[in-house]
Amino acid sequence: MSLFKARDWWSAALGEGEEFDQGCLCVGDVDNSGTGHDKVVVGSYMGMLRIFSPNVNKTSEGGPADALLLEVQLKNAIIQMEVGKFVSCSDLLHLAVLHPRKCSVYSVSGTAGNVEHGDQYQLKMVYEHNLKRTVCNMTYGSFGGVTGHHSLCIQSMDGMLMFLEQDSYTFGRFLPGFLLPGPLAYNQRTDSFLTVSSARQLESYKYETLAVAAEAESRQDADLPLKTGGKRLTPDWTFVLGEQALDLCVPSFSTSSSSIFILGERNLYCLRDNGQIHFMKKLEFNPSCFLPYSSVVDGTTNLLLGNHTNMLQVYQDVTLKWAAQLSFVPVAIRVANFPELKGVVVSLSSDGHLLCSYMGTDPSFFSTPKVDAREADYEQVDAEMKKLQRFIREATRTQDILTKSDAEEDLIVTATVSSSMDSPSQALIQDMDDLPVPSVTVQVKVKARCVVQSSKLTVSIQPPLAATQDQFVLEPMGVGKSKVVAFSAYLNGRYPAADLSGYVTVSYSSPTGVPRVLQSKFSLPLALVCVPSSPAKTTKFKITVDTNQPPVDLNALFPEFSTKSEDKDGNSLAFQFLSGAKVTLVASKTSQRYRIQSDRFEDTWLVVKELVQRFDQHFSILGVKDFKKSFSGPLPLQEYFLSVDHHFQLRVSAQQYQDLLSERAVQFRAIQRRLLTRFKDKTPAPLQNLDTLLDSTYSQVMALAEAAEETRVQLEEALVRLRSSTHLLVLLLSLWQGLTPDQTNILEAALLPLLQDTPQLGWEESCDAAVSHLLRSCLSRSPKDQATSLAQQGGPVLGLPRDTARLKKHITLMCDRIAKGGRLTLASEANAPVPIQVQNLAAPGGVEPIAEVTGDGEEPELQQEATKFIKKKQPSKKVKKDKDSKEKKEVSRESSEATLKEEVGGAEEPIKEVKKEKKESSKEKKEPKKDSSKEPKDEAKKETKKETSSSKEKKESSSSSSKEKKEKDKDKEGKEASKESGDKKVPRKSAVKVKEKKKETEAGDV
């Protein structure tokens, strides 16, 4: 049992079909027993009056009937009840009952019974007042400082306050500016009445002011002069609430506290007696009722506050101290003292659920029995330990964004696509190029396993497909109930779709209030977007898929497209898309190959996908387990890049149109301001052709807006075609390299990160970032590169690139690395031990992992290398000789390696430079130690060093003169290659020349 739940001490259900409200609950010693124990008095709008004395006598079999002291049916509805000293010359408590047109005062008396039936209680009327006006509520107190008895103040529906002193009517006053009645309370400390007017402000009227005001026989207009003597009634002070008040209470349990509590629709207010605000609490729920009661801390007040979420909350001023869950929404709350328990919370619901509860916990006296000791089975424990360790390894190896829940869902969502097309098509476009546009019906069944109050169903289909209705509001469902909705899907654009699958999403709230979302996937048939046709003989693009099984009859694979086929052998089919494209499928008679051909690369995607899926279904039905399908290659990257360039050019055009449109709009507003200034001028001035300029600017704005809208439509079509091309490229790459479904999903997520373009983020920059991440992480050449990429943090802000050369280069590099054995995985390398050398490389300021990704960032690296050589100390003689010989060998080796690298494309240069810098940095650490011992040198030694250095310079100049010619030619080739690729790269040879020049200058300085 939950700790934060109200403990049921005693409860009762009051009748059937009765209604209760805020004033229908009253607590007090109404029978004057003298023990100080309270009775619960409940009245309903049906006129039923009940008095209870709750107890927890577990031996009795009567239940709530034993606690019922009195039940009386009155003639009129009961609006409110109060317990007080309403009879003169008597200190006993009486019960005042307010009816719509009457106020009655009763005495409740009990007679001790002499038999087993128990005590008998009687309700006797003392007096009553017949009222001329329909009443709303009432309050009581010692008006005017009179002690010993209580008077009544009743508020009518038309704004009149009627004062009753015992059995006599005293006077009546109309409230100024009255429209609708509000809560009414009496403040005994200031002898004033408080109410909330229709102006949503709290108003205070002193009893003395009301007594000396003008007599109110009928309601008068406040603006008219008074017909009778007396002062005009005005409030002593007002406080603007800004919202309607639900209840108003002035605590009287302490004479020192001076607080007025107002419960609004969204806030809780506490004011001083003079109208100054003490504090205000903004509520995060819809309140229903409240009750201030005494606090154990001086200067504070506790409040019980009920809301419409079945919660009972305890506040100490503005601090939430406790929260308890109820089984209903309370409309009235009281605190009572009973013989068995004091401080019981009495709550009443609108349908008559009366509950006496307390907060906290019950002590548990249950003790677990001792379990007989058993010998542990070490083999079983060891097996369980290994199983748990395997689960832990799998959990740490994979990176799942959302945790997988094994619990059963509250709803079961099933989407079923009809096997036949709709007989009257529901499509908005009835025909395309004289071909009828069909539609298919999808039925969604939602079955509830628990009570679901409100749920919404949303249908998501990618354009150009559309649905007749994409949103449904489901009615509340009980346990085991189900709801079926249906809609039709159809083609709503003149270009082929990229995806025939759709999703049905149901959002609802669990019984505990937790929001949940369920999703179900459905696939639309291929016949929705194409019809059978005659095969085409000449096409521009072809794809060949190989299998390891004998050829299959295509008419058996595609029975819905074999009706109009002219080929009786079943080795060719043609699909005519409604958008105009035609795709031909041909099966080889001798080999196990299938060819898909069309005039455009992206048009073949749906047919290739459907062919592969139907292959799997066909051979799984036959029981063939070793069925394999493959694509021999090469990948059609050039055709794919055409779709990429077309989409990019449309994005650039759309951006240009937006810029021009914003400029023309600024110009249009400026001309408008000029014209307005001219028109407002008292002395008319010539317009100077501003009206003509305004008309031409307006026509330009309209033309640009139409062009921008047309470009937006073209961009949507281009994105759909690009998605088709990307899907086809991913499928061919998976067939070419035999990728697993997980690897295919990773590749598809990298190449298709977005379903639609936005002005802030487009497909090109998103795909480039995802592919670059794969190249840095799982497709990197070595663990060092991967560790370096893990050390990098953040990245550039994604934006529209200048061109697509960088993106196409990265996609080509990714395909090449996958073809060379690269493994696509999301396995985390964080738990694997990283070598110290890799950690040093991965430190901040380390080398870049992939040169292709860095692009423009290589020139600063060369400058850093130059500064390293300048700051380096001069080595000694022996070390310098060894170093020069090694450098000559390295230069010759690098020149031979550079020629090979430039022929291949120069993709591995940065990694070689990293290794070289690593070796040189280790040498530089050793050389200063040797130099430190030889710093004091003679002038003769310096001269010998200069001679040796000059001789070495002559040798190096003679040996390098022949190499420089070759290097210049190769530099030119490298520069041309770099210009073609679009990247700004510095050739490797320039770095070698910089090093040689630095050595010559250093030798000259010595």
Side-chain angles (χ1 to χ4, degrees):
M1 183 179 293
S2 175
L3 176 65
F4 299 99
K5 185 177 181 181
R7 306 300 176 190
D8 190 352
W9 183 71
W10 180 88
S11 62
L14 308 181
E16 294 182 1
E18 299 186 40
E19 294 183 9
F20 303 84
D21 205 352
Q22 186 175 357
C24 296
L25 179 63
C26 181
V27 171
D29 190 11
V30 68
D31 60 343
N32 299 284
S33 61
T35 58
H37 298 148
D38 296 327
K39 311 297 184 299
V40 180
V41 185
V42 183
S44 68
Y45 285 163
M46 306 306 168
M48 188 67 69
L49 179 66
R50 300 178 180 89
I51 301 176
F52 293 93
S53 177
N55 57 70
V56 286
N57 189 5
K58 298 182 179 180
T59 59
S60 64
E61 299 178 357
D66 293 340
L68 182 61
L69 303 182
L70 184 65
E71 185 175 13
V72 179
Q73 175 67 52
L74 301 180
K75 295 182 181 179
N76 300 312
I78 299 174
I79 298 177
Q80 189 175 350
M81 299 176 302
E82 298 292 346
V83 175
K85 300 176 182 180
F86 302 123
V87 178
S88 59
C89 303
S90 176
D91 292 336
L92 299 179
L93 297 176
H94 291 76
L95 179 64
V97 181
L98 184 64
H99 301 287
R101 285 288 184 119
K102 185 189 296 184
C103 181
S104 305
V105 177
Y106 298 93
S107 65
V108 180
S109 60
T111 304
N114 297 325
V115 293
E116 62 181 3
H117 295 293
D119 300 338
Q120 296 180 0
Y121 287 84
Q122 294 180 354
L123 185 69
K124 183 179 179 181
M125 181 183 293
V126 179
Y127 62 87
E128 69 177 4
H129 290 277
N130 292 317
L131 307 175
K132 296 181 181 180
R133 302 177 184 278
T134 304
V135 300
C136 175
N137 50 21
M138 69 175 177
T139 184
Y140 73 98
S142 301
F143 304 158
V146 179
T147 60
H149 65 271
H150 295 152
S151 301
L152 292 171
C153 177
I154 303 173
Q155 181 179 205
S156 65
M157 296 295 291
D158 57 353
M160 184 178 182
L161 296 182
M162 296 172 285
F163 293 88
L164 307 177
E165 188 173 354
Q166 280 78 46
D167 55 352
S168 62
Y169 174 82
T170 307
F171 60 88
R173 300 288 184 268
F174 274 105
L175 296 175
F178 183 86
L179 182 62
L180 291 174
L184 181 66
Y186 173 69
N187 189 355
Q188 187 175 359
R189 294 183 295 270
T190 59
D191 193 23
S192 59
F193 294 89
L194 302 168
T195 184
V196 179
S197 65
S198 300
R200 295 185 175 181
Q201 63 181 6
L202 180 66
E203 299 176 352
S204 174
Y205 299 90
K206 282 189 176 294
Y207 179 73
E208 182 181 359
T209 305
L210 292 168
V212 299
E215 183 68 24
E217 296 296 337
S218 62
R219 189 169 184 177
Q220 298 178 355
D221 193 350
D223 298 332
L224 297 177
L226 297 176
K227 296 180 181 179
T228 59
K231 296 181 180 180
R232 188 184 301 275
L233 183 60
T234 56
D236 297 328
W237 54 264
T238 60
F239 180 81
V240 178
L241 299 177
E243 60 179 332
Q244 188 59 38
L246 302 179
D247 199 0
L248 179 63
C249 184
V250 180
S252 59
F253 45 78
S254 176
T255 57
S256 60
S257 63
S258 58
S259 299
I260 302 170
F261 291 92
I262 306 100
L263 179 64
E265 296 175 340
R266 285 289 184 272
N267 300 282
L268 175 67
Y269 303 89
C270 179
L271 305 181
R272 302 294 187 189
D273 287 341
N274 57 1
Q276 294 180 355
I277 188 167
H278 182 201
F279 63 81
M280 185 185 76
K281 171 68 176 178
K282 183 175 178 61
L283 305 177
E284 299 178 355
F285 45 79
N286 294 328
S288 60
C289 58
F290 84 128
L291 176 70
Y293 67 97
S294 60
S295 174
V296 295
V297 181
D298 294 337
T300 61
T301 304
N302 287 1
L303 293 100
L304 286 174
L305 203 152
N307 56 39
H308 285 274
T309 59
N310 301 353
M311 292 294 294
L312 182 62
Q313 297 179 327
V314 181
Y315 283 90
Q316 186 176 26
D317 289 346
V318 295
T319 306
L320 180 64
K321 293 295 184 180
W322 196 263
Q325 183 76 34
L326 297 176
S327 58
F328 54 84
V329 178
V331 296
I333 298 176
R334 299 291 183 271
V335 176
N337 296 324
F338 299 118
E340 292 87 353
L341 191 62
K342 294 183 179 181
V344 177
V345 180
V346 183
S347 54
L348 177 67
S349 68
S350 60
D351 56 354
H353 190 177
L354 182 63
L355 174 65
C356 296
S357 59
Y358 61 93
M359 302 179 196
T361 58
D362 293 325
S364 177
F365 299 101
F366 174 75
S367 60
T368 57
K370 295 182 179 180
V371 182
D372 296 336
R374 293 177 297 178
E375 294 183 358
D377 188 357
Y378 293 102
E379 295 181 356
Q380 182 179 0
V381 172
D382 189 25
E384 184 179 0
M385 186 66 180
K386 291 180 180 179
K387 182 179 179 181
L388 294 176
Q389 288 178 349
R390 187 173 67 254
F391 288 159
I392 294 173
R393 284 196 302 270
E394 293 177 356
T396 55
R397 186 180 300 117
T398 58
Q399 295 177 346
D400 291 335
I401 299 176
L402 297 177
T403 57
K404 299 179 181 179
S405 176
D406 296 333
E408 294 184 354
E409 299 292 346
D410 299 329
L411 291 178
I412 301 177
V413 183
T414 306
T416 306
V417 182
S418 177
S419 58
S420 59
M421 300 294 165
D422 299 338
S423 64
S425 178
Q426 303 294 326
L428 296 180
I429 304 175
Q430 291 296 325
D431 59 87
M432 295 182 184
D433 298 334
D434 298 333
L435 293 177
V437 179
S439 65
V440 65
T441 302
V442 181
Q443 287 188 351
V444 182
K445 182 178 180 181
V446 182
K447 186 176 181 180
R449 291 181 176 175
C450 65
V451 178
V452 179
Q453 294 296 333
S454 60
S455 56
K456 295 182 180 180
L457 188 145
T458 305
V459 180
S460 176
I461 304 177
Q462 296 300 322
L465 299 176
T468 54
Q469 185 176 354
D470 56 355
Q471 290 185 354
F472 300 87
V473 178
L474 305 181
E475 298 177 355
M477 294 181 290
V479 180
K481 301 295 182 179
S482 60
K483 178 71 175 178
V484 178
V485 297
F487 61 90
S488 296
Y490 54 89
L491 184 66
N492 196 28
R494 299 184 181 274
Y495 52 93
D499 194 358
L500 292 179
S501 60
Y503 293 93
V504 175
T505 306
V506 179
S507 59
Y508 66 99
S509 296
S510 64
T512 57
V514 179
R516 297 284 183 86
V517 176
L518 285 180
Q519 198 174 57
S520 178
K521 184 179 180 180
F522 62 90
S523 297
L524 299 175
L526 183 62
L528 189 67
V529 295
C530 62
V531 294
S533 178
S534 58
K537 297 182 179 179
T538 58
T539 56
K540 296 181 180 179
F541 183 76
K542 299 176 183 180
I543 294 176
T544 303
V545 177
D546 299 337
T547 62
N548 61 348
Q549 297 296 327
V552 183
D553 187 5
L554 297 180
N555 293 327
L557 280 181
F558 298 90
E560 66 271 24
F561 295 95
S562 61
T563 55
K564 295 184 180 181
S565 177
E566 299 177 357
D567 187 8
K568 298 181 180 179
D569 298 335
N571 62 345
S572 64
L573 280 179
F575 304 88
Q576 178 69 44
F577 283 87
L578 300 179
S579 58
K582 181 181 288 189
V583 180
T584 304
L585 175 61
V586 180
S588 176
K589 298 181 180 179
T590 57
S591 61
Q592 302 166 356
R593 294 184 177 182
Y594 302 87
R595 176 174 293 175
I596 304 96
Q597 51 192 15
S598 177
D599 290 335
R600 299 189 66 169
F601 174 69
E602 62 271 11
D603 293 337
T604 59
W605 153 240
L606 290 178
V607 178
V608 175
K609 176 187 176 183
E610 196 73 18
L611 177 65
V612 172
Q613 290 180 352
R614 299 201 181 193
F615 272 156
D616 295 337
Q617 296 175 1
H618 176 73
F619 289 107
S620 63
I621 294 174
L622 296 180
V624 179
K625 297 181 180 180
D626 58 345
F627 171 70
K628 293 182 180 179
K629 49 191 178 299
S630 60
F631 172 70
S632 58
L635 288 177
L637 289 178
Q638 297 303 323
E639 291 81 358
Y640 173 67
F641 291 153
L642 293 177
S643 301
V644 174
D645 292 334
H646 178 60
H647 177 263
F648 178 75
Q649 291 299 328
L650 286 176
R651 282 192 63 194
V652 173
S653 300
Q655 186 64 36
Q656 291 175 354
Y657 280 128
Q658 290 294 331
D659 297 340
L660 290 175
L661 189 60
S662 62
E663 292 177 1
R664 293 298 181 270
V666 172
Q667 178 180 338
F668 186 75
R669 288 192 293 269
I671 299 171
Q672 281 183 326
R673 287 194 295 269
R674 292 284 184 90
L675 282 175
L676 188 61
T677 304
R678 296 289 178 91
F679 291 149
K680 286 184 177 180
D681 195 359
K682 294 181 180 179
T683 58
L687 297 180
Q688 296 179 353
N689 296 327
L690 284 178
D691 52 346
T692 307
L693 185 59
L694 184 69
D695 293 338
S696 62
T697 306
Y698 175 76
S699 60
Q700 290 178 8
V701 168
M702 296 304 297
L704 286 173
E706 293 176 357
E709 179 63 22
E710 184 180 357
T711 306
R712 185 190 62 82
V713 175
Q714 294 177 358
L715 186 60
E716 291 180 357
E717 178 181 352
L719 181 61
V720 174
R721 292 185 178 276
L722 178 60
R723 289 179 56 210
S724 300
S725 303
T726 308
H727 281 300
L728 181 58
L729 180 67
V730 171
L731 179 60
L732 295 180
L733 190 57
S734 63
L735 294 178
W736 185 35
Q737 296 299 323
L739 302 180
T740 61
D742 293 338
Q743 295 175 344
T744 305
N745 293 335
I746 295 172
L747 185 61
E748 188 170 354
L751 293 178
L752 284 175
L754 296 176
L755 292 179
Q756 59 183 1
D757 286 323
T758 59
Q760 294 78 19
L761 189 65
W763 178 85
E764 283 80 8
E765 55 266 29
S766 303
C767 181
D768 191 13
V771 173
S772 300
H773 174 72
L774 291 181
L775 292 175
R776 285 194 184 103
S777 57
C778 58
L779 294 180
S780 59
R781 291 191 182 94
S782 63
K784 294 182 180 180
D785 298 341
Q786 189 169 356
T788 308
S789 64
L790 291 175
Q792 293 178 350
Q793 297 179 357
V797 179
L798 298 183
L800 182 66
R802 290 177 296 179
D803 52 20
T804 58
R806 177 191 180 95
L807 173 62
K808 291 189 288 187
K809 187 174 183 179
H810 287 172
I811 293 176
T812 306
L813 184 60
M814 180 190 67
C815 297
D816 182 52
R817 291 190 181 179
I818 293 176
K820 291 180 180 179
R823 187 168 60 92
L824 291 169
T825 178
L826 292 179
S828 175
E829 300 293 337
N831 296 328
V834 182
I836 299 177
Q837 296 83 359
V838 177
Q839 292 179 1
N840 295 332
L841 283 176
V847 295
E848 288 290 329
I850 296 176
E852 293 81 6
V853 178
T854 57
D856 300 336
E858 292 187 4
E859 292 181 359
E861 291 181 3
L862 293 177
Q863 295 176 2
Q864 291 179 2
E865 291 176 3
T867 55
K868 288 181 182 178
F869 282 99
I870 292 172
K871 294 180 181 179
K872 191 173 62 174
K873 293 182 179 181
Q874 178 65 27
S876 61
K877 247 184 179 182
K878 296 179 180 179
V879 175
K880 188 175 179 183
K881 288 180 180 180
D882 298 335
K883 185 177 177 183
D884 291 340
S885 61
K886 289 180 181 179
E887 285 180 351
K888 288 179 181 180
K889 293 179 182 179
E890 287 176 359
V891 167
S892 61
R893 190 186 301 114
E894 285 172 0
S895 61
S896 61
E897 289 178 356
T899 54
L900 294 175
K901 287 176 185 175
E902 289 176 354
E903 292 175 358
V904 175
E908 299 180 355
E909 288 180 6
I911 297 178
K912 296 289 185 179
E913 290 179 2
V914 169
K915 295 181 179 179
K916 182 180 176 183
E917 288 181 23
K918 188 70 178 177
K919 293 179 181 178
E920 292 177 355
S921 61
S922 61
K923 292 179 182 179
E924 289 172 5
K925 292 179 181 177
K926 298 177 181 179
E927 287 171 0
K929 296 181 180 178
K930 298 179 180 180
D931 295 340
S932 60
S933 61
K934 299 181 180 180
E935 285 180 357
K937 296 292 181 178
D938 298 330
E939 294 180 358
K941 292 182 179 181
K942 292 181 181 179
E943 292 176 358
T944 55
K945 286 184 180 179
K946 290 180 181 179
E947 292 175 359
T948 54
S949 62
S950 60
S951 61
K952 287 180 180 179
E953 286 176 1
K954 293 178 181 180
K955 292 179 180 179
E956 287 177 358
S957 60
S958 60
S959 61
S960 60
S961 59
S962 60
K963 295 180 181 179
E964 286 179 354
K965 295 180 181 179
K966 297 180 181 179
E967 288 174 355
K968 288 180 182 179
D969 298 334
K970 292 174 184 177
D971 289 345
K972 292 180 181 179
E973 294 175 0
K975 290 179 181 177
E976 292 174 357
S978 62
K979 289 179 182 178
E980 291 175 358
S981 62
D983 295 335
K984 297 180 181 179
K985 292 187 177 180
V986 179
R988 179 95 180 241
K989 309 304 175 296
S990 60
V992 176
K993 292 178 181 179
V994 169
K995 295 177 184 178
E996 292 178 356
K997 290 179 180 179
K998 298 303 176 185
K999 292 171 192 174
E1000 292 174 2
T1001 55
E1002 289 171 359
D1005 294 339
V1006 175

